[in-house]
């Protein structure tokens, strides 16, 4: 499919969606605490977006029933919000897609619940830094491989696993548009970036070896139907860090 190049005006509309999304994440940071449930956070996000004149794009997307994806501990992404109370030391990724007047913004962020172990804090910090390195390469004339290469190298240098099946993507009026934006690659390879391209950059690192599984079975464990969307680390104790 052809990559859609956005005009300055269209990017302005997307920037407004992004402004609402960033403000919502600042509120989420206050709501994530021991004793809170991700279902409660999901309801607060939906209410916040409604008051801001926006809506959660993923609710109803291919049947997904919630305003957010809420992924706790070894669940990497696409987790369902639930009633389980968050505990001190957990990590939770809250993924939100905002629709503002038909234009979208997408961001997932991993939050520490209370005080996390030093290795978890390091994982989260390193993943965040990799995101900003990738953003730094997102310039006209660079390539998708340039972005992927700096993210992959960051994972290697930190000794973290890189979940390669999960990649960034174009975005605009649709949640998933071309191109795919892998968090790995070779400098100078892949599509050349052009002015007007809009896409997400999504580094997903884990402790230990790379790998994630999706569906009803993960690492030999049966999962309920409500978690059929979820990607989890192949080794349950190997927590993920995610940013975009």
């Amino acid at each position: 499919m052809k990559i859609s190049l956005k005009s300055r005006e269209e990017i302005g509309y997307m920037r407004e969606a992004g402004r609402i999304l960033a403000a919502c994440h600042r509120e989420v940071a206050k709501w994530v605490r021991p004793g809170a449930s991700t279902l409660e956070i999901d309801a607060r996000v939906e209410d916040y977006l409604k008051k801001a004149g926006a809506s959660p794009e993923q609710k109803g997307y291919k049947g997904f029933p919630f305003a957010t994806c809420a992924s706790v501990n070894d669940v990497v992404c696409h987790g369902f919000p639930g009633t389980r109370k968050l505990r001190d030391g957990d990590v939770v990724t809250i993924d939100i897609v905002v629709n503002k007047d038909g234009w979208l913004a997408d961001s997932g962020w991993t939050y520490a619940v209370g005080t996390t172990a030093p290795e978890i804090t390091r994982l989260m910090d390193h993943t965040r830094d990799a995101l900003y390195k990738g953003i730094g390469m997102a310039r006209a004339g660079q390539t998708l491989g340039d972005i992927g290469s700096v993210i992959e190298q960051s994972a290697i240098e930190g000794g973290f696993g890189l979940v390669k099946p999960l990649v960034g993507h174009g975005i605009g009026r649709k949640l998933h548009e071309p191109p795919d934006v892998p968090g790995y690659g070779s400098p100078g390879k892949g599509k050349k970036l052009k002015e007007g391209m809009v896409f997400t950059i999504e580094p997903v690192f884990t402790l230990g070896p790379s790998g994630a599984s999706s569906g009803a079975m993960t690492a030999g464990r049966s999962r309920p139907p409500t978690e059929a969307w979820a990607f989890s680390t192949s080794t349950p104790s190997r927590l993920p860090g995610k940013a975009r």
Side-chain angles (χ1 to χ4, degrees):
M1 294 178 63
K2 185 179 180 181
I3 296 173
S4 170
L5 300 180
K6 277 68 176 181
S7 67
R8 289 182 180 272
E9 181 180 7
E10 290 170 330
I11 290 173
Y13 297 145
M14 296 186 71
R15 183 175 289 114
E16 176 60 16
R19 183 192 65 79
I20 294 170
L21 178 52
C24 187
H25 267 296
R26 287 193 290 271
E27 294 302 310
V28 170
K30 302 173 187 176
W31 301 334
V32 170
R33 65 188 188 282
S37 75
T38 52
L39 195 59
E40 293 167 354
I41 294 169
D42 182 81
R44 287 188 170 197
V45 167
E46 187 164 13
D47 183 63
Y48 182 94
L49 296 183
K50 182 178 180 180
K51 290 178 178 177
S55 61
E57 178 66 15
Q58 68 260 52
K59 189 170 186 177
Y61 178 77
K62 296 186 178 180
F64 191 83
F66 295 101
T68 65
C69 297
S71 307
V72 180
N73 293 338
D74 63 300
V75 180
V76 177
C77 73
H78 302 162
F80 276 33
T83 58
R84 173 194 179 275
K85 302 297 184 182
L86 296 173
R87 304 185 185 102
D88 189 71
D90 284 343
V91 294
V92 57
T93 300
I94 304 296
D95 192 352
I96 307 167
V97 184
V98 169
N99 183 322
K100 174 62 174 174
D101 299 327
W103 292 95
L104 308 182
D106 178 5
S107 175
W109 203 261
T110 301
Y111 297 91
V113 183
T115 303
T116 55
E119 64 177 353
I120 303 303
T121 301
R122 179 173 173 268
L123 168 65
M124 293 171 62
D125 289 346
H126 207 84
T127 309
R128 178 201 59 213
D129 292 345
L131 170 66
Y132 291 136
K133 288 178 181 179
I135 291 172
M137 299 301 293
R139 301 288 184 270
Q142 302 290 106
T143 68
L144 291 176
D146 293 331
I147 295 173
S149 176
V150 296
I151 292 172
E152 184 175 24
Q153 189 59 36
S154 182
I156 292 170
E157 291 173 356
F160 297 113
L162 174 63
V163 181
K164 291 186 174 181
L166 300 174
V167 300
H169 52 85
I171 188 170
R173 285 191 174 275
K174 296 180 180 180
L175 177 53
H176 294 111
E177 299 181 356
D180 287 343
V181 185
Y184 56 92
S186 301
K189 301 296 184 180
K191 291 187 179 297
K192 184 169 287 190
L193 306 184
K194 298 180 180 179
E195 185 173 350
M197 292 174 68
V198 182
F199 49 79
T200 68
I201 298 173
E202 307 189 18
V204 185
F205 294 175
T206 63
L207 298 175
S210 177
S213 302
S214 66
M217 290 295 293
T218 301
R221 295 172 296 141
S222 177
R223 288 189 175 274
T226 53
E227 295 186 21
W229 284 72
F231 274 78
S232 295
T233 57
S234 296
T235 305
S237 63
R238 303 295 85 186
L239 302 178
K242 182 177 181 182
R244 73 176 188 269

